[in-house]
Amino acid sequence: MSRRELVAGATAAVALTTLPGQAQAENAGTDRPVTAKVNLTINGERRELDLDTRTSLLDAAREHLHLTGSKKGCDHGQCGACTMIVDGRRINSCLTLAVMHQGSEITTIEGLGQPDALHPMQAAFIKHDGYQCGYCTPGQICSGVAVLAEIKAGIPSHVTADLNAPLEVTPAEIRERMSGNICRCGAYSNIVEAMTEVAGRPA
Amino acid sequence: MKSFTYERPTTPAEAAAAVARNPQAKFIAGGTNLLDLMKLQIETPAHLVDVNGLGLDTVEPTPEGGLRVGALVRNTDLAAEPRIRKDYGVLSRALLAGASGQLRNKATTAGNLLQRTRCPYFYDTAQACNKRRPGSGCSALDGVSRSLAVIGASEACIATYPGDMAVAMRVLDATVETVDAAGGTRRIPMADFHRLPGDRPEVDTTLKQGELITAVTLPKPVAGTHIYRKVRDRASYAYALVSVAAILGKDGSGHVAFGGVAPKPWRIEAAEADLPKGAKAVTAAVFAGAKPTEDNAFKLKLAERTLAAALTQARA
């Protein structure tokens, strides 16, 4: 069975057992799906879904809303390919449940920019070759946008020398803050250059 | 992942009651550890009680001159909180040394305390593990134990407590506040919160089923240089091999706790009087009775050297 067929099968199973309203108790602790109605606000659009309670935010976006920009790398919060910006904060969308995000404002790479209207970070990644195969790139870009916002908001990092002094966007700060985004192709130094440019400092 | 039902109560009492009445229920806050373990079927709760609607997300001054940190304050926010940065630097530093930016944005104060071990045999469901499956044995005893405990372990389990934040809270003499389904509250000193494995390694903490952490209180600030030194296999986003949380004066006097070496944050207060004499005397007492394996005996020397580095930093 191909991956696509498996996904289609799993989706069909959820559809068959969909129950309105609250998650149903009698199926719990087994392999039988428990479903719930979930309202997600994703890239400014309100979407209503009937989802298995197990559905991660990542799977809700990719498999149910067909927003396939966010990628599944490790599915355990170790690689960062699934990074989304939720209520202004970057998170690993594979390590959170869709049902926990009723009312959250969710931004994926599709919501940051589109080919005809790129986000400055997307444009900078292209200019500086901040990727090779591109698989980690949507997560890198979402993370990169949020990192600059975190520095602007005064949130310190492990490499911040003085916890009580104003923060600066330095290559060391960028590298430390981006450590949750792995790039197997090794585009790291170009990613630092792209982020540095967007931060408004000479690359 | 096994299926589960889900609810999101709005008061701590409701949340505590929901977990107390169902032995298969668990609280979920950030979810960054629990969901990871559920995907591997190491955790298989039949019911999840989402505590993110309870509030409990502020940092408030206490009448004693300390701070009360809500259970749901995110790691990012606690590390960045101005009063924590200024007066409890060791806590800020410990938080920032842990995990990644994405995880710190989700992870909560209470959830971080409750994170489970990262012992590779706990994670590998094909291996024997008394913590994961009581009575099944411990594959780590004859396995690869480089990352595991050198002290406080037992014949049943040599896993370490993996976190950084709790090590800083241990040196700060923090207290965990809880509420149960009957409305009863408890204040648990950090020293008594995590338990040693003994013959029941499946029980990580002294919490009861349905007992909900509401806050962690910090006593009034302790003067001195606040230091968190973490030694790990890579510069960022890795668990500690050894970590040192210390508050030290210019003469080296002060307090110290160690992470990465034991099933709980490891601190021996009686050894702290020797801090001005240097690291060797202190670590000899702190690690008296240690039973390292061939793979992890290096941690004893590493702990001494990491403390020595902290003392050098404090004296500078």
Side-chain angles (χ1 to χ4, degrees):
Chain A
M1 187 186 268
S2 77
R3 187 181 157 278
R4 276 287 157 200
E5 284 163 348
L6 185 72
V7 168
T11 309
V14 170
L16 282 173
T17 53
T18 293
L19 298 162
Q22 275 208 311
Q24 301 295 302
E26 60 273 19
N27 296 332
T30 68
D31 293 323
R32 292 187 59 196
V34 177
T35 57
K37 264 201 188 347
V38 181
N39 285 298
L40 295 176
T41 305
I42 193 156
N43 300 329
E45 211 177 308
R46 200 177 137 99
R47 306 291 295 266
E48 187 173 304
L49 296 167
D50 282 307
L51 294 177
D52 188 309
T53 52
R54 290 172 286 190
T55 312
S56 68
L57 181 58
L58 175 64
D59 284 343
R62 285 183 55 84
E63 310 295 348
H64 297 268
L65 299 173
H66 308 296
L67 293 166
T68 53
S70 308
K71 296 295 187 279
K72 184 181 282 192
C74 68
D75 209 24
H76 287 279
Q78 295 173 9
C79 76
C82 68
T83 303
M84 294 180 187
I85 301 173
V86 176
D87 295 328
R89 293 283 181 90
R90 58 182 169 139
I91 65 167
N92 299 116
S93 64
C94 74
L95 277 191
T96 193
L97 298 170
V99 73
M100 295 169 74
H101 285 283
Q102 308 259 15
S104 300
E105 293 283 341
I106 300 152
T107 303
T108 68
I109 189 71
E110 291 93 340
L112 275 185
Q114 289 289 323
D116 55 353
L118 293 174
H119 185 281
M121 191 66 79
Q122 290 171 315
F125 266 62
I126 294 168
K127 178 179 165 189
H128 291 278
D129 256 344
Y131 54 88
Q132 196 178 114
C133 82
Y135 195 82
C136 72
T137 312
Q140 298 278 1
I141 290 175
C142 285
S143 203
V145 168
V147 160
L148 296 187
E150 285 164 17
I151 295 174
K152 215 170 188 172
I155 294 167
S157 85
H158 175 63
V159 300
T160 306
D162 182 350
L163 286 177
N164 298 297
L167 294 171
E168 285 185 71
V169 182
T170 64
E173 285 282 359
I174 291 173
R175 285 174 184 277
E176 161 60 23
R177 291 168 190 268
M178 292 294 286
S179 70
N181 290 84
I182 309 297
C183 172
R184 189 60 278 178
C185 302
Y188 297 114
S189 54
N190 295 359
I191 292 170
V192 173
E193 284 177 20
M195 287 179 63
T196 303
E197 177 171 304
V198 176
R201 292 169 61 95
Chain B
M1 196 185 291
K2 294 288 181 188
S3 68
F4 54 85
T5 49
Y6 168 89
E7 71 177 298
R8 186 179 166 106
T10 53
T11 67
E14 283 168 10
V19 173
R21 69 175 160 256
N22 183 349
Q24 290 187 287
K26 277 197 172 285
F27 298 116
I28 185 165
T32 54
N33 189 206
L34 181 58
L35 288 168
D36 188 24
L37 294 171
M38 285 168 65
K39 288 181 187 198
L40 299 166
Q41 295 194 16
I42 294 166
E43 296 274 11
T44 54
H47 185 61
L48 285 184
V49 178
D50 180 349
V51 295
N52 288 291
L54 303 184
L56 305 177
D57 57 355
T58 58
V59 180
E60 307 286 352
T62 65
E64 295 79 28
L67 291 174
R68 187 168 186 273
V69 179
L72 290 163
V73 175
R74 309 284 153 174
N75 286 178
T76 296
D77 296 316
L78 187 56
E81 160 65 43
R83 291 163 292 184
I84 299 289
R85 283 153 81 163
K86 184 171 155 287
D87 294 330
Y88 303 90
V90 63
L91 179 54
S92 225
R93 288 288 179 202
L95 285 159
L96 295 171
S100 67
Q102 287 97 319
L103 291 167
R104 289 192 297 271
N105 280 341
K106 264 283 175 199
T108 63
T109 304
N112 193 306
L113 288 176
L114 296 173
Q115 69 175 308
R116 307 212 65 192
T117 187
R118 301 287 164 163
C119 174
Y121 299 97
F122 177 74
Y123 265 79
D124 183 349
T125 52
Q127 301 278 352
C129 171
N130 288 320
K131 191 183 273 298
R132 172 168 35 77
R133 207 166 61 238
S136 63
C138 173
S139 293
L141 289 172
D142 296 315
V144 179
S145 54
R146 181 173 176 271
S147 65
L148 303 176
V150 295
I151 197 163
S154 72
E155 284 299 303
C157 182
I158 58 170
T160 51
Y161 174 75
D164 296 295
M165 182 193 79
V167 185
M169 287 180 170
R170 178 71 179 92
V171 85
L172 287 166
D173 288 317
T175 303
V176 181
E177 294 185 2
T178 70
V179 65
D180 65 21
T185 59
R186 212 158 55 113
R187 293 172 54 85
I188 310 167
M190 189 57 66
D192 303 330
F193 182 78
H194 296 101
R195 59 182 293 287
L196 295 180
D199 58 2
R200 293 202 65 199
E202 72 277 16
V203 187
D204 291 349
T205 72
T206 51
L207 292 179
K208 299 169 292 184
Q209 175 76 9
E211 190 173 9
L212 175 74
I213 299 172
T214 50
V216 173
T217 50
L218 305 173
K220 66 179 183 199
V222 178
T225 304
H226 283 229
I227 296 167
Y228 191 77
R229 284 188 87 96
K230 179 175 180 178
V231 184
R232 43 187 163 173
D233 283 333
R234 59 184 181 201
S236 184
Y237 198 14
Y239 291 96
L241 291 168
V242 164
S243 70
V244 164
I247 305 171
L248 300 170
K250 282 270 181 205
D251 63 350
S253 67
H255 310 283
V256 63
F258 294 84
V261 293
K264 61 192 281 187
W266 198 251
R267 179 181 177 192
I268 305 293
E269 278 90 337
E272 291 173 358
D274 281 340
L275 275 166
K277 292 187 201 161
K280 204 180 181 83
V282 177
T283 51
V286 167
F287 292 99
K291 286 187 193 153
T293 64
E294 198 179 324
D295 284 355
N296 66 22
F298 75 94
K299 287 192 177 186
L300 296 172
K301 197 71 189 165
L302 189 58
E304 182 192 323
R305 288 174 177 168
T306 310
L307 177 58
L311 284 163
T312 301
Q313 186 181 337
R315 287 183 166 129

